Amino acid sequence: MRHLARKQRVSTGTEALALFIGLSNVSSRKLGACTQCRYNSTGTKASGTVNIDGKPYPIDQWHNLSPNITSAISRKLHVQADHPISITRAIIESRFPGPTFKYHNNFFPIVSTQQNFDSLGFPADHPGRSKTDTYYVNQETVLRTHTSAHQADVFRANESEGWLISADVYRRDAIDRSHYPVFHQMEGARVWDRTRVANGDIATAVLKDIEALPKHSMKVEDPNPPTHPERNPLQKEHSLAEAEAIAAHLKHSLELVVVEIFSRAKAAAISANPDYVDEPLKVRWIEAYFPFTSPSWELEIFWQGDWLEVLGCGVVKQDIMEKAGQPRQLGWAFGVGLERIAMLLFEIPDIRLFWSKDDRFVGQFKGLSANLDNLRRFVPFSKFPACYKDVAFWLRSSSSSAGGGLGANSQDFHENDVMEIVRDIGGDVVEDVTKVDEFTHPKTGRKSLCYRINYRSLERTLTNEEANGYHDQVRKALVEKLGVELR
C-alpha cells in the first residue's frame, strides 16, 4: 500500500488510508530509486498497440505489462458473486446504506498518470512512479495502483453525501502468502455541506446524524483527545466542535463495520468448532499521521489473542475539498484492504487462493452472496509439498547495487524485477521468493545475491521435474533480462 512519513511503525491501517490519499507503498516491500526498470516483461518493443480487455492501447518504451497481469483485469473478483472478496465488500457496504452512500464498483483499472499520480500530489521523482513499482501501459497510462486514482473525480461529481469505491489495484511487489500483484481496496468518504445544513452549522448536523446510527456494545479504547496541537492537530479551516463531531461520526461508523465483520467471523468459527473459545470483541483507536487528513487514526482489533491493524482514517484535509471544487464541504475518509479482511474473515491462509478457479475453493462459498448469514470458514482441501530451489548470481559490475558506478546506458538493479521474472514464469505455482544471502566481494566490490524460490501448487503435488523446468527458465531469464552472472 503507498509510502508515507509514519512515526516508528508501519501498519496495515497506515497503508489502507494511504491508498485513499495516494501516497507511496508502505508495506514490507523495499523501494528503490526512481529509475526505469531494466526488465520489460513483454520484451523491448517501443511502439505498436496492445489489446487489453477488448480495447487497443498504444505502447512505448514504458510498457511493462505481462499476460499474467492483463489476464487478471477481466476477473473482477470484487463483484464476482459468491467470491470471498465480493462477500467482504458486501458486508462492509451493508454498514453504509444508500441513498446517503453511493457505491462505485466498476471503475476501469486503466487510468492516466494524471489521475494516478498528479491529482494526488506525487512529486515527479516519487518512487511510486517508477516502472519497478507500477505497471505502465505507456508513459501516460497505467494500471491504477490505488482506488484513490478516482477520488478527485468522485468528489468533484458530488453525486452523494457519501461514497465507497471498491476496485482491483495493481503493484509490482514481493512474492509471498500475503502479497500479490493484483489486490483489492475499498475507500470511503462522508461529507457535510455548509450550504445544505441548518444555519450552516456542521457540528449540529453531524451530531444529529450520529444519533441515527445503530448502537453497539463493543468495548472501545480511545484514550486520546479528539485533537492534539502537535500529534493530531485541528485544521485551521475547522472549528473544534466540527472536528470533534466529524471524528465521532467516523469512529462510530467504523466501529459498526468491525462489529459486523467480526461478529460474522465469530459465528462462522463457532459453527466450524463447537469448542471455540469466545472472547469479548474490543477495539482501540491509535493516533496516526497522514498528510491528507487531520486529525487521523488507525483502528486496531483484538482478535485471537493479538491486536491487528485493520484500517486507517481521518478528517479530510480541506485543501482536498477545495481542489475538487467543493470548498463548503467537510468530511471524513477511510481506507481498507479487502484481502486483509477476507483472510481474517474466512481464515484463508494464502492470498493466491483468491485467484483459484478450483471448485474445491470456489465451491465452498456458493450461495453466500444471497445469504450472508450462512457465512462459513474456508476448509483447506490439501497441503501439497513444497519444492525449494535456490538461485545465486553476481550483479553486473556497472550496477550501483553491485558496488560499481551506474553506467550511462545501464539501469539499476531492483528486487521487484526478480519477482516479476519469477512471477511471469511460475505464476501461482510460486508460493514465495526470499532473499537468503547477500555477499560483497572484498576485492572487486561486486555483490552476490541468493534467492530461495518455493514452488508449491495450491491444487496438486508439483513434481521435482516440473519445479526444475520452471527454475531453469528463471535462471535463463535472469541472465537475459537483468544481465546477471549465475554462480
Side-chain angles (χ1 to χ4, degrees):
M1 285 178 181
R2 290 247 172 247
H3 207 50
L4 43 108
R6 179 73 171 89
K7 300 174 184 177
Q8 296 185 339
R9 69 191 177 106
V10 166
S11 74
T12 301
T14 300
E15 183 175 344
L17 183 60
L19 291 169
F20 170 78
I21 59 181
L23 299 179
S24 141
N25 193 346
V26 81
S27 66
S28 60
R29 53 194 284 238
K30 302 175 180 65
L31 289 175
C34 187
T35 58
Q36 287 192 24
C37 159
R38 184 188 307 111
Y39 169 53
N40 185 322
S41 58
T42 60
T44 57
K45 189 164 57 174
S47 63
T49 61
V50 63
N51 192 287
I52 302 176
D53 204 30
K55 301 178 182 179
Y57 293 88
I59 63 173
D60 54 25
Q61 70 276 11
W62 282 76
H63 183 74
N64 64 349
L65 302 186
S66 68
N68 282 344
I69 298 303
T70 55
S71 65
I73 292 176
S74 62
R75 296 290 301 277
K76 299 180 176 63
L77 302 185
H78 62 293
V79 292
Q80 183 177 310
D82 297 335
H83 192 281
I85 297 296
S86 181
I87 294 167
T88 302
R89 171 191 58 78
I91 290 173
I92 298 175
E93 286 179 349
S94 71
R95 301 314 314 164
F96 299 101
T100 300
F101 286 86
K102 182 174 181 178
Y103 311 138
H104 301 275
N105 296 328
N106 294 296
F107 287 138
F108 196 63
I110 295 180
V111 299
S112 67
T113 52
Q114 194 283 329
Q115 289 174 293
N116 201 72
F117 299 122
D118 300 333
S119 71
L120 299 161
F122 278 63
D125 61 349
H126 194 282
R129 293 180 183 264
S130 173
K131 287 174 66 177
T132 59
D133 276 36
T134 296
Y135 290 108
Y136 278 82
V137 179
N138 53 54
Q139 188 172 3
E140 304 298 329
T141 313
V142 299
L143 292 180
R144 63 183 164 223
T145 60
H146 42 233
T147 50
S148 301
H150 307 287
Q151 161 200 304
D153 295 333
V154 174
F155 270 137
R156 190 172 294 109
N158 196 28
E159 296 176 343
S160 57
E161 294 175 312
W163 47 261
L164 300 176
I165 299 175
S166 298
D168 45 336
V169 298
Y170 300 76
R171 305 254 186 88
R172 300 183 86 215
D173 210 339
I175 300 176
D176 57 42
R177 293 188 182 186
S178 61
H179 289 81
Y180 202 80
V182 191
F183 54 104
H184 298 79
Q185 295 293 334
M186 174 186 282
E187 67 180 67
R190 172 72 162 93
V191 297
W192 290 263
D193 194 314
R194 294 190 192 279
T195 64
R196 296 182 181 179
V197 300
N199 303 314
D201 188 345
I202 293 285
T204 298
V206 175
L207 291 174
K208 182 178 179 181
D209 287 340
I210 292 175
E211 290 300 315
L213 293 174
K215 304 299 184 280
H216 67 74
S217 58
M218 179 177 62
K219 182 180 179 181
V220 178
E221 297 179 14
D222 192 7
N224 298 306
T227 67
H228 187 279
E230 296 177 355
R231 300 192 309 264
N232 233 358
L234 173 72
Q235 297 178 48
K236 61 182 177 58
E237 297 90 348
H238 301 166
S239 71
L240 180 60
E242 289 170 339
E244 289 183 345
I246 292 172
H249 191 284
L250 166 65
K251 290 179 177 180
H252 192 80
S253 297
L254 293 177
E255 288 162 9
L256 290 171
V257 170
V258 169
V259 170
E260 186 74 21
I261 291 172
F262 288 92
S263 293
R264 292 182 182 277
K266 281 188 177 183
I270 293 171
S271 176
N273 178 17
D275 297 324
Y276 176 81
V277 178
D278 194 9
E279 58 185 12
L281 192 61
K282 60 182 178 180
V283 297
R284 65 185 182 189
W285 290 100
I286 307 296
E287 289 181 333
Y289 167 72
F290 304 117
F292 291 104
T293 57
S294 188
S296 307
W297 303 272
E298 292 172 346
L299 180 59
E300 297 183 345
I301 180 170
F302 193 75
W303 178 249
Q304 297 182 352
D306 198 9
W307 286 101
L308 304 176
E309 304 94 346
V310 293
L311 56 83
C313 61
V315 179
V316 180
K317 283 284 185 72
Q318 205 56 35
D319 66 336
I320 290 180
M321 305 309 303
E322 292 171 358
K323 290 176 181 177
Q326 309 298 339
R328 307 297 293 175
Q329 293 183 354
L330 288 70
W332 53 251
F334 76 91
V336 65
L338 293 180
E339 271 84 352
R340 166 72 160 169
I341 300 300
M343 292 176 86
L344 293 171
L345 182 61
F346 294 97
E347 294 271 320
I348 293 174
D350 192 313
I351 197 169
R352 292 177 297 165
L353 280 164
F354 291 119
W355 296 90
S356 175
K357 297 181 181 180
D358 192 318
D359 192 61
R360 290 173 295 178
F361 176 75
V362 297
Q364 294 189 35
F365 310 103
K366 287 182 179 177
L368 293 189
S369 290
N371 188 350
L372 297 176
D373 292 336
N374 290 334
L375 194 75
R376 50 189 174 269
R377 280 182 165 184
F378 167 67
V379 179
F381 43 83
S382 187
K383 180 67 172 179
F384 299 102
C387 193
Y388 294 96
K389 304 288 180 182
D390 289 353
V391 56
F393 51 83
W394 294 102
L395 297 180
R396 296 196 305 179
S397 58
S398 61
S399 167
S400 62
S401 296
L406 185 65
N409 297 317
S410 66
Q411 303 292 338
D412 205 3
F413 172 85
H414 197 290
E415 186 172 274
N416 279 354
D417 298 342
V418 176
M419 301 296 173
E420 202 68 12
I421 286 173
V422 175
R423 181 177 287 117
D424 282 356
I425 292 170
D428 287 352
V429 166
V430 180
E431 183 174 281
D432 56 66
V433 179
T434 308
K435 184 170 68 176
V436 294
D437 187 52
E438 181 176 317
F439 169 75
T440 301
H441 195 285
K443 294 184 178 179
T444 66
R446 292 187 70 188
K447 181 180 290 186
S448 169
L449 301 173
C450 180
Y451 286 88
R452 178 158 296 161
I453 305 173
N454 177 15
Y455 298 94
R456 190 206 307 258
S457 171
L458 290 167
E459 299 172 353
R460 62 184 178 83
T461 297
L462 196 68
T463 67
N464 191 55
E465 289 74 20
E466 288 176 300
N468 283 337
Y470 286 120
H471 201 62
D472 286 344
Q473 292 181 61
V474 167
R475 288 168 55 86
K476 292 176 182 177
L478 288 171
V479 173
E480 294 172 0
K481 303 295 184 179
L482 301 185
V484 303
E485 180 184 337
L486 295 176
R487 294 184 62 188

